Amino acid sequence: MGTLWFWIVSAMLAAYVIFDGFDLGVGIIYLFVARSEPERAQALRSIGPVWDGNEVWLLAAGGTLFFAFPLLYASAFSGFYLPLMIVLWLLILRGISIELRSHSIDPLWRTFFDGLFTLASALLAIFFGAALGNVVRGVPLGADNYFFLPLWTNWRTGPNPGILDWYTVLGGIMALVTLSLHGALYLALKTEGHLERRALHYARRLWPIAVLVTVIGVPATVFARPASLANYKAHPLDFAFPIAVITGLAIMRFTLGHASRLPAFLGSCLYLFSMLAGAAAGLFPVLLPDIGPDGHDMTIATAVAGPHTLRVGLVWWSIGTVLAIMYFCIVYWLFRGKVPTDAEGYGH
């Protein structure tokens, strides 16, 4: 049951990155691709019906983590208290910017909320990437399974790191680039006219940068945490994830010029899912590596909840997930197709 819940939490986090990742990406490139008021309204209408629903996966993943691995939840939310508070404020500011911008007719306030939308989206991507970098690299766990990290120390990985070092900053940059690409492909899929062509142009420019940070990120991960290769050596089938990463990049590259924008976007989804699944495969069964002198990692066995909790939770999780999937299917079906340039209102 512990292994099952490990992969459930991993899958829900991957779903969040894929779904909320494209509207974060839209926010990152928003000021660069949407250069007029009609284009900015069109870009916001492309995510208007779904952006808040996409964040359900983050809340669901946090709730699942709470009852499946309560020790990990307590340890991580205490050690990463400062960045988590920053993330919460960024989520709030991003939601405010989307909502209030659509209710303002003053050009100055609209410009302010546009800038806030882009800034909050970019910082969220960077913080999420740095957070994943911290989990992969490890933290100095104490005997009580708690830890404290300053915002930064000497920018090096090792026994006394900060939340920010060269590896976690690289993770933030990778997230910023790949989610920007994801958002550009989504905009190309959902919009038309000049906005579609400009989004496609940015996707073509971002793709080689995404390849570069991916090529750098793999050996950097091995250098920051050599143990990440152990599972791949023990289970050669795990190499399917790096192959899927390469496949996703190739699909994006060779379908960018197609009349249909869907294959390139699906290639981006495959790339993001495979990157996260590969990271989870490298960690399993460790939940939070310890880089302290004792080296007692927090594993599934030490952090998992009781059997009764897991069995009851599986029932309610299954019901909630089925309802969430039904909701997503209905919403994405109702708002399928491209956003018309002359549409009015919040959605399309």
Side-chain angles (χ1 to χ4, degrees):
M1 287 292 284
T3 300
L4 174 63
W5 280 107
F6 174 87
W7 289 107
I8 285 176
V9 173
S10 299
M12 295 180 78
L13 289 173
Y16 170 71
V17 172
I18 290 172
F19 285 102
D20 203 36
F22 68 70
D23 57 63
L24 281 174
V26 169
I28 295 168
I29 65 172
Y30 174 72
L31 291 179
F32 305 99
V33 298
R35 299 177 181 174
S36 64
E37 177 57 31
E39 288 182 351
R40 292 181 179 179
Q42 186 183 11
L44 288 176
R45 281 196 298 270
S46 72
I47 64 171
V50 297
W51 73 268
D52 48 354
N54 290 337
E55 293 182 352
V56 165
W57 294 106
L58 180 63
L59 298 175
T64 303
L65 192 67
F66 174 73
F67 76 79
F69 303 106
L71 181 60
L72 173 62
Y73 183 92
S75 179
F77 274 67
S78 297
F80 294 130
Y81 182 81
L82 175 60
L84 282 170
M85 290 300 103
I86 295 175
V87 165
L88 286 177
W89 274 106
L90 289 173
L91 288 170
I92 292 169
L93 291 175
R94 185 169 174 271
I96 288 174
S97 65
I98 295 174
E99 294 290 345
L100 295 187
R101 193 230 187 251
S102 62
H103 294 288
S104 175
I105 60 174
D106 188 290
L108 180 61
W109 277 110
R110 283 193 168 183
T111 301
F112 170 77
F113 289 125
D114 287 340
L116 185 62
F117 177 46
T118 293
L119 178 64
S121 299
L123 289 178
L124 276 171
I126 292 170
F127 269 83
F128 285 141
L132 179 60
N134 274 274
V135 172
V136 172
R137 179 206 62 199
V139 297
L141 282 173
D144 57 356
N145 287 307
Y146 286 89
F147 64 94
F148 170 77
L149 286 174
L151 191 56
W152 68 79
T153 54
N154 55 9
W155 296 91
R156 299 177 183 177
T157 58
N160 297 300
I163 293 172
L164 299 177
D165 57 30
W166 67 266
Y167 179 69
T168 58
V169 169
L170 176 62
I173 294 172
M174 180 178 289
L176 182 68
V177 172
T178 55
L179 293 185
S180 297
L181 174 59
H182 197 47
L185 292 172
Y186 178 80
L187 266 185
L189 172 68
K190 293 293 292 181
T191 60
E192 55 189 14
H194 293 295
L195 183 57
E196 177 189 6
R197 290 189 290 273
R198 207 172 291 124
L200 197 61
H201 172 70
Y202 269 83
R204 289 194 177 100
R205 295 178 63 180
L206 286 166
W207 183 85
I209 304 176
V211 173
L212 177 62
V213 295
T214 302
V215 170
I216 295 174
V218 173
T221 298
V222 176
F223 182 82
R225 185 172 180 268
S228 58
L229 278 180
N231 279 355
Y232 283 88
K233 293 177 180 178
H235 307 96
L237 287 178
D238 287 347
F239 283 100
F241 295 123
I243 293 173
V245 169
I246 297 172
T247 303
L249 288 170
I251 291 173
M252 283 187 275
R253 173 63 182 83
F254 293 110
T255 59
L256 277 173
H258 287 193
S260 173
R261 310 303 183 199
L262 183 60
F265 178 72
L266 292 179
S268 179
C269 294
L270 175 62
Y271 167 81
L272 291 173
F273 176 82
S274 303
M275 287 287 286
L276 293 168
L283 283 171
F284 180 85
V286 175
L287 298 175
L288 193 60
D290 178 23
I291 57 175
D294 298 331
H296 58 284
D297 298 332
M298 185 183 296
T299 63
I300 293 174
T302 59
V304 72
H308 177 72
T309 301
L310 298 180
R311 287 195 298 268
V312 173
L314 186 60
V315 174
W316 287 107
W317 177 86
S318 300
I319 295 172
T321 301
V322 169
L323 292 175
I325 292 174
M326 289 174 58
Y327 166 80
F328 269 71
C329 290
I330 293 171
V331 169
Y332 278 89
W333 174 257
L334 289 176
F335 295 99
R336 66 191 183 278
K338 289 186 175 290
V339 180
T341 54
D342 57 348
E344 295 183 1
Y346 191 45
H348 66 279

